[in-house]
Amino acid sequence: MRTSSEPAGTVAASAASLPSPAPASAADPDVVEQVQAAQEGSAQAFALLYDRYVDQVFSYVYHRVGHRQTAEDLVGDVFLRALRRITSFKWQGVDFGAWLITIARNRVHDHFKSARFRLEATVEEVFDTPGSSTADDPEEAAIHGDLARQVHEALSQLKGEQAEVLYLRFIQHLNVAETGAVMGKSDGAVKALQYRALKSLAKHVPQELGKL
Amino acid sequence: MTPTDVDALARLLDGDPTLNGEVTEESRALGRLAHVLATAKPVPARPEFKAALRAKLVDAAREQARVPALTRMRTGIGASTARWRYSTRAAAATGAAALALSSGGLAVAADRALPSDVLYPAKLVIEDVRIALVRDDVSRGAAHLAQASTRISEAEAAAGDGNQAGAAVALLKADEALRTGAGELLRAYTQRGDASSVERLADFTDQQRARLARLDDLLAGEAAEAARILRVAFERIEARMMSVVGACEGCEGATPEPRPGADLADIPPAHEAFEECPCDLGPSGGDAGTVDAEPPGPSLDGAPEAPPVQDMPPAATDTPSVQPPAEAPTDDPGVPQPDPNHEPPPLTVPDLPSVAEPRRSSDSGVVDAIVRGVLHVLLP
């Protein structure tokens, strides 16, 4: 799972492929060391893990609930739960970031269940303003920004697992296996779900696809 | 949507360089959509929020690190832990010392802990220590029942959070506490004729069975199995209550006296055989009525399953396949019989002064003795 301090990754030669994901955090020796120290009681180590992942967790939660204050409250709960359960984390196919996202996912589900909260993303805030994409051409950036707005607006209309797999795969940049671990699904099920989810998403922005 | 389309899109999204003409235009369009999602820069959290939460987490982590002894004592508590094997001396001494030395802070914090929380082990230890200091059997029995009720509350909370593993742990602990408490109260009746103890037990089982029934819808997997085990305990307790008051359902109360050596206060766990009718049926009654045991199946705690036992009609001449308890009660009715089948073993607190009546650990002399016990256990 990428961290906010790492570069966005290069776009593959084909415009249809995703930016290359950063190496899984499970292989990052710093993360391994920090997790071990946190499990042994180091407050500083847990704080460093927090620094590394807070933006990703906040981004996921904010996309799901669409309200900043609510997202902040839930993110606080997520990290407190992670702290309480830090000794239960095992490196078994799920890296630490994906584990945090799993906790966040459960917390968001609880929030929706208890508050019957409907997902209404504030699209103007949820994604960045035009000009933040990797494109250098201002005109292309403006077009991309406008399309991004429409795509995210369409995303906010998806519900349930289809919205979730898109958040996890393409906004949180989890790979198929990590997404499957968070959602409790096999790799094949995740691939099928992401296909159906993208098709549902496309129904809301069909006329814009040709501009890319 | 065909499996080929799904797989081709997945490979495209992964940047598979071996893809050639296998990708449809539709899949390419879907890939472009995914690219738009992936390249939008997310809005980070507010710096003020991040700083405040960071400080809060550091404080919480430091507080959490201050109780290493108690957490180490309970390490290895897995999702399906059913038995707790620990040094009773260390548990009682350390837990009580924590009570004495924490000025109430730890005890208060632990009191709210739920299964999977870091302080949950401390909570259990503190409860065990408090009960160990209660001297009379009726009060002790009531305390164990209160423990069982607390465990059921924890299971309700865990199940409500979707924590099936935590609910399973709590329900299994409820089973232990319930059977222990029921045994104390049944013994109070059989040894001293204290009818109020059986009445208290009957009211408790009615209330808690209703709670368990309401909880059933939220349980699955190991938690559902733990609930079944707890229900078996309730059934056995009710059967035993009927037996002790002379209304045994196995022999329809024909002979209300129990057989010599039958321990009516013994409520075995679900995986062990249970003698539903422990009554003395006279010279022709070598068979002691129906013997009930759980059918073999997956065990949460790895304990060996009781072999299946066929029901025997009362008039049969076959000998019972389960031997009654061999130990006869001692002449001293106040001494509880050691039972190797009970888990965990009774708590003993070292170096306690004798107390005339049940009292809590607030007594400074008791606390001093416990602190001495802590030093004895923890210091090499």
Side-chain angles (χ1 to χ4, degrees), chain A residues 69-110:
Chain A
Q69 184 58 53
T70 303
E72 290 180 355
D73 292 343
L74 296 184
V75 167
D77 287 348
V78 168
F79 278 97
L80 281 171
R81 285 189 184 188
L83 173 64
R84 284 199 297 269
R85 299 170 187 175
I86 188 74
T87 53
S88 69
F89 172 74
K90 300 287 187 293
W91 296 98
Q92 292 175 346
V94 177
D95 86 330
F96 190 75
W99 182 70
L100 289 174
I101 292 296
T102 303
I103 296 175
R105 176 175 183 259
N106 292 337
R107 188 64 191 91
V108 168
H109 281 188
D110 291 344

Side-chain angles (χ1 to χ4, degrees), chain A residues 50-51 72 83 125 170, chain B residues 38 43 46 50 54 64 118:
Chain A
Y50 166 82
D51 292 339
E72 290 180 355
L83 173 64
E125 286 186 80
F170 308 119
Chain B
V43 173
R46 291 183 303 123
K50 290 202 292 185
R54 192 184 200 277
Q64 186 167 289
V118 168

